[in-house]
Amino acid sequence: MSSLITQDTKFIVQGITGREAVNLTRENLDYGSKIVGGVTPGRAGRDVYGVPVYDCVRDVVAKHGPVEGSIVSGPPGFTRDAVFEAIENGVKIIVV
């Protein structure tokens, strides 16, 4: 059986500046995951544990190239839009 995620999988965290996502980001970085960016509208230019924050998925893809996965962490009212934004920008694996 093949795995969808490898040690080389590049992914983003949508809603990265939220409390749960900050902890999730730290834990994933400690594990050695390749988080290339985070997305929180209106908070571009910040960073979370060294991971740059962007306003939208399109900006992450423009800066870092194709991204294979996304973790969506945010309020339920924004989840649907975040998932569609990831799909529209070529993300193949999305964890909500």
Side-chain angles (χ1 to χ4, degrees):
M1 174 187 249
S2 65
S3 177
L4 297 174
I5 300 171
T6 68
Q7 64 187 19
D8 297 320
T9 301
K10 294 189 313 184
F11 68 96
I12 60 174
V13 178
Q14 290 177 265
I16 193 167
T17 59
R19 183 184 71 233
E20 296 298 322
V22 167
N23 291 329
L24 178 138
T25 299
R26 179 183 46 80
E27 291 168 355
N28 275 278
L29 290 171
D30 288 348
Y31 186 71
S33 300
K34 294 189 178 186
I35 304 174
V36 296
V39 176
T40 300
R43 300 210 176 160
R46 297 181 185 194
D47 72 86
V48 174
Y49 294 108
V51 176
V53 178
Y54 299 89
D55 282 327
C56 61
V57 177
R58 178 185 65 238
D59 294 344
V60 179
V61 172
K63 178 74 175 181
H64 299 281
V67 175
E68 291 91 11
S70 175
I71 297 173
V72 178
S73 174
F78 298 108
T79 301
R80 180 174 166 249
D81 288 339
V83 169
F84 282 126
E85 181 185 7
I87 292 168
E88 290 168 357
N89 286 281
V91 178
K92 303 292 185 206
I93 303 168
I94 300 170
V95 177
V96 179

